[in-house]
Amino acid sequence: MASAPRRRGPLAFLRRTIAALAVLIVAAVALAWYLTLPSAPGAFYAHPLPADAAPGTLIAAEPYTTAVPENAEGWLILYATTRVGKPALASAVVLVPRAAASGPRPVVAWAHGTTGIAAPCAPSLFPKPFDNIPDIAALVNEGWAYVGTDYPGLGTSGGHTYFVGEDAAHAVLDSVRAARQLQQANLGDEVVVWGHSQGGGSALWTGTRAAEFAPELKVKGIAALAPASDLKGLVSSAQGNFFGKIVSAYIVASYASVYPDVKAEDYVHGFTRLLAADIAQRCVSGYKTLFAVAEAMLAPAAGIFAVDPTTGPLGAHLAENTPSTPFPIPLLIGQGEADDVVHPDLQRRYAAAMCAAGQQLDFRLYPGRDHISVVTADSPLAPDLIAWTRDRFANAAFTPNCPT
């Protein structure tokens, strides 16, 4: 006599359902991981660097149209610069007004904020390359030219030296030197440098190196907006928020690639190190940033570091990449009072120390503005920055405004 089939109980059904859901969740996460990886740069960025190209040499140029204002025309350029003291290739965007100029155009050199450290993270590759630039339309309307470096290793190969001040200064200055060789752009030698966040630190470094490295340029002013000025203070104060964790992942990956005495495993341990390594290959741009934010949420609440990052070799290199030397160029520091990435108190102390050391400095604090909203077109900083830049090009008297 055949036995009756055994009936499966509700517990077995629940187990099968949970197993199926687990498979679906893993598959969904894997798909999201893949779909949010940045796309590789195009062939233009892979142009070879001639062996005899001096820093500041224009290598190649092509028209650039992505989100360019209607009253402007643009080019994407490749130019020679340096990375850790060695020849490197970098890209930049050049914009000029379509209206004819009466003479060579004054230049606003833009140093962008954090976008990532992987090659696809160049702003020139983004669908909105001029985000976080205070009123690009007003800049063009003033008749000024815009030169925005991507920095070496963003767009181009070789790796981006994130928060390495010397490389950032060279990238900014060399981008202007190269853009001036673009005859149809008609750029002059007068320059004001703008920079935000990471780029604010780059702008400060540019001020310290301009006279020595590019004496043919007349750098009339440095505008550092929510700048990454005190790097040890920045890492300590911001590492617990989501963006701070992403920045920390970029720092440890970059410094480990640049400085032989910095070992990532000495500062980031276990599963968190795997998260940090994956974050380091992602960009801060659009919806794809959300995966890095999700990974940051999985990291410890206090941040990715198991060892104090302000100590040992990492701390020493953060200190040496903090721009602390005054320079003979007027400096504007614009800071949002609600900034939770670069804290206002840190910025105020930095500005006060620079003033005490003799820097010509105008420190402006913007109530209610955070790290990003301080540089949007509707921020009160935007018209202030345009007016301040206009004064620098006009050789107007500079009035110091040190923090109290």
Side-chain angles (χ1 to χ4, degrees):
M1 182 177 177
S3 60
R6 187 171 62 182
R7 299 178 62 186
R8 298 184 182 274
L11 185 58
F13 174 78
L14 181 61
R15 287 173 177 164
R16 291 199 306 275
T17 302
I18 292 173
L21 286 173
V23 170
L24 287 174
I25 291 170
V26 170
V29 171
L31 181 62
W33 177 87
Y34 176 77
L35 292 177
T36 54
L37 286 172
S39 302
F44 181 81
Y45 296 86
H47 197 288
L49 175 64
D52 60 346
T57 300
L58 178 66
I59 305 299
E62 67 175 19
Y64 187 83
T65 59
T66 305
V68 171
E70 290 184 0
N71 61 340
E73 58 181 328
W75 297 267
L76 178 64
I77 67 170
L78 291 176
Y79 64 96
T81 186
T82 53
R83 178 190 181 279
V84 198
K86 297 180 180 179
L89 192 67
S91 51
V93 170
V94 180
L95 297 184
V96 299
R98 289 190 180 276
S102 59
R105 295 182 171 94
V107 179
V108 171
W110 172 249
H112 69 80
T114 296
T115 57
I117 61 173
C121 301
S124 65
L125 289 166
F126 294 170
K128 296 180 179 180
F130 307 112
D131 273 5
N132 302 331
I133 300 174
D135 209 341
I136 187 73
L139 185 159
V140 173
N141 287 337
E142 290 287 333
W144 304 332
Y146 162 93
V147 180
T149 180
D150 286 324
Y151 307 133
L154 300 182
T156 55
S157 61
H160 174 46
T161 52
Y162 186 63
F163 283 148
V164 175
E166 196 80 22
D167 286 2
H170 287 191
V172 172
L173 293 165
D174 284 333
S175 70
V176 177
R177 298 166 84 191
R180 294 186 68 216
Q181 297 161 40
L182 195 65
Q183 292 185 0
Q184 57 268 52
N186 190 22
L187 304 190
D189 57 5
E190 293 189 341
V191 182
V192 170
V193 181
W194 295 0
H196 172 240
S197 191
Q198 173 196 358
S202 301
L204 292 169
W205 272 101
T206 302
T208 69
R209 294 294 184 264
E212 171 191 357
F213 186 70
E216 74 274 24
L217 299 179
K218 298 174 183 176
V219 180
K220 315 286 281 187
I222 302 291
L225 316 174
S229 48
D230 175 2
L231 293 186
K232 290 175 73 171
L234 168 65
V235 172
S236 293
S237 63
Q239 63 177 306
N241 63 47
F242 296 143
F243 190 65
K245 293 176 187 179
I246 293 172
V247 167
S248 297
Y250 291 162
I251 289 173
V252 74
S254 173
Y255 277 32
S257 72
V258 173
Y259 302 112
D261 56 345
V262 175
K263 310 294 183 186
E265 59 270 23
D266 290 345
Y267 291 92
V268 187
H269 299 166
F271 177 65
T272 304
R273 188 177 164 209
L274 296 177
L275 290 174
D278 192 68
I279 289 171
Q281 66 176 333
R282 299 179 176 278
C283 306
V284 178
S285 174
Y287 75 91
K288 291 186 177 182
T289 309
L290 295 176
F291 198 91
V293 171
E295 290 180 309
M297 292 175 67
L298 294 175
I304 70 167
F305 294 109
V307 174
D308 184 354
T310 65
T311 62
L314 179 55
H317 291 301
L318 287 171
E320 74 185 38
N321 282 292
T322 292
S324 56
T325 304
F327 42 83
I329 302 170
L331 169 62
L332 168 69
I333 293 182
Q335 175 67 38
E337 200 169 33
D339 196 327
D340 65 347
V341 176
V342 179
H343 285 218
D345 288 344
L346 283 175
Q347 203 71 272
R348 190 180 286 105
R349 287 196 292 271
Y350 175 82
M354 288 289 277
C355 278
Q359 178 64 49
Q360 305 174 69
L361 192 148
D362 183 354
F363 180 76
R364 304 191 188 186
L365 200 61
Y366 293 89
R369 294 287 168 166
D370 62 21
H371 195 63
I372 298 300
S373 66
V374 75
V375 290
T376 53
D378 66 346
S379 170
L381 178 146
D384 285 357
L385 179 61
I386 293 292
W388 188 87
T389 303
R390 192 186 299 129
D391 283 348
R392 303 287 73 76
F393 286 135
N395 297 315
F398 179 81
T399 303
N401 177 36
C402 291
T404 55

